[in-house]
Structures are given as structure tokens and as C-alpha cells.
Amino acid sequence: MVDRLRENGVSDEVVLQAMNAIPRHFFVEEALASRAYDDVSLPIGSGQTISRPLTVARSCELARTRSSIRRILEIGTGCGYQAAVLSLIAKEVYSIERISSLLGRARVKLRKLKCHNVQVKHADGSSGLESLFPLDAIIVAAGAVELPEHLIDLLAEDGRLIIPLGKDTQFLTEVKKLKVGYELIQHEEVSFVPFLSGVVVK
Ligand code: SAH
């Protein structure tokens, strides 16, 4: 899987090593385990999917900008795979998920893999999370139609928000927080489940 990521342009060795270390098959149902290292998204229940390895690697690479991350927030824990990868590239990882049943399963897996620097929370990423300010990076693992500007406010200066953005076609988008305002860079086309609001209790 890592060789294929390299061939597809991922070049940050810290990210590649983390992707190599975290067993993706551990995060999918047994029946799908044989496909866990293919470059495809797979169902994880509740109508959600684990993202393609290439997309996970690219968003980690863009968030890291080749320097160390102290505090990162992931919105959309899903099965917990990307949070586990992030645990190897950041000091403190916060990950929130709106669907409680997914979060429960992710929490167990992250504990089994001893990802002790990851804190997961049942919360809605479309509302405020002021207590986490200042963050070095935020990765949104669900596709938004409009840029959620309140998330940019949570970043430290020079921090990055990585988010799939677009109405009909989504693009992996990097938002760099500046002293005043922000800069937006559009990267490759991607396909994500929608960024929704509200929490789901079951
Ligand atoms: N990073 C995940 C990908 C999960 S798919 C992984 O490695 O598996 C995206 C997830 O985002 C879904 O589980 C969905 O429920 C969640 N999500 C969508 N909108 C959200 C929101 N506003 N707040 C929190 N989670 C959200």
C-alpha cells in the first residue's frame, strides 16, 4: 500500500511510515479485510465509509506541511483509522464524530492499538469547539459545500484546515490561516460522504 502511495505522489516520509504502521484491516469488518489495503473506500456501517488510503495520506501530508504537529482535530472519526494514523504524526489528537455507534467502535479499536494520545468525543463539528484553540491543523473527513469559517478561527497562525469542498464536485482544499484572513489552495478532486450537522445518539 505504501509503495502505491509513493507512486501516487505522497512524499512525506513521516506520513508514509505512519500509514505503514497502522493496520487498516483492523478497522474494517472481517468480510472486507481482504480488500483493506486496496486504494478504495469501504463501508463501516451507518451509511459511512473509511476513506481511501490515498486520501488519508494526502490530507495528513497537507496538514503536516512537513513540520511537527502539536495539536490536531479530526472531524469525522468514522472507524478511527485516520485518528490512529494521526496519533503517530501529532502529539495530541482530538477526533469528533456525530454518530455515537461509530464512535463507540472507534474508541475500542483506538484503545486496543494503544493510541493513548487520541481523545474521541461525540460531538457535531459544525458547531463551536472553542476549547481546542489553538490548533495546528484540522482535518475534516466529510465533504462540505461551503467553507465552515468558524473552524478557521480555531487555528493558530500558519495552521491548516484540510477539507473536501465543493457542490457537485469536491476538491481537497487547504486553508492556511494568516495573521489576517486566510489563503485557500485547491488540490485534487476527491469523493467524501457529506458533512452534516447535529449529533446522532444511536
Ligand atoms: N476518518 C474516517 C472517515 C470517516 S467518514 C476514517 O478514517 O474512517 C466521515 C465521518 O464524518 C462519518 O463517520 C460521519 O458520520 C462524520 N461526520 C459528518 N459530519 C460530521 C459533523 N458535522 N461532525 C462530526 N462528524 C461528522
Side-chain angles (χ1 to χ4, degrees), residues 48-51 74-79 81-82 96-99 102 123-126 141-142 193-196:
Q48 307 302 318
T49 53
I50 178 173
S51 309
E74 176 192 36
I75 300 180
T77 315
C79 63
Y81 173 69
Q82 184 155 20
I96 63 176
E97 170 57 56
R98 62 186 287 275
I99 303 177
L102 287 178
D124 175 10
S126 64
V193 293
F195 185 54
L196 301 170

Side-chain angles (χ1 to χ4, degrees), residues 4 7 26 59 65 71 76-77 94 110 129 136 147-149 153 167 171 178-179 190:
R4 205 170 39 229
E7 279 162 25
F26 183 67
S59 53
T65 60
R71 182 184 288 180
T77 315
Y94 297 86
L110 289 163
L129 298 153
D136 296 317
L147 186 64
E149 300 222 358
D153 297 337
K167 195 159 177 254
F171 293 92
L178 306 173
K179 201 170 201 141
V190 284

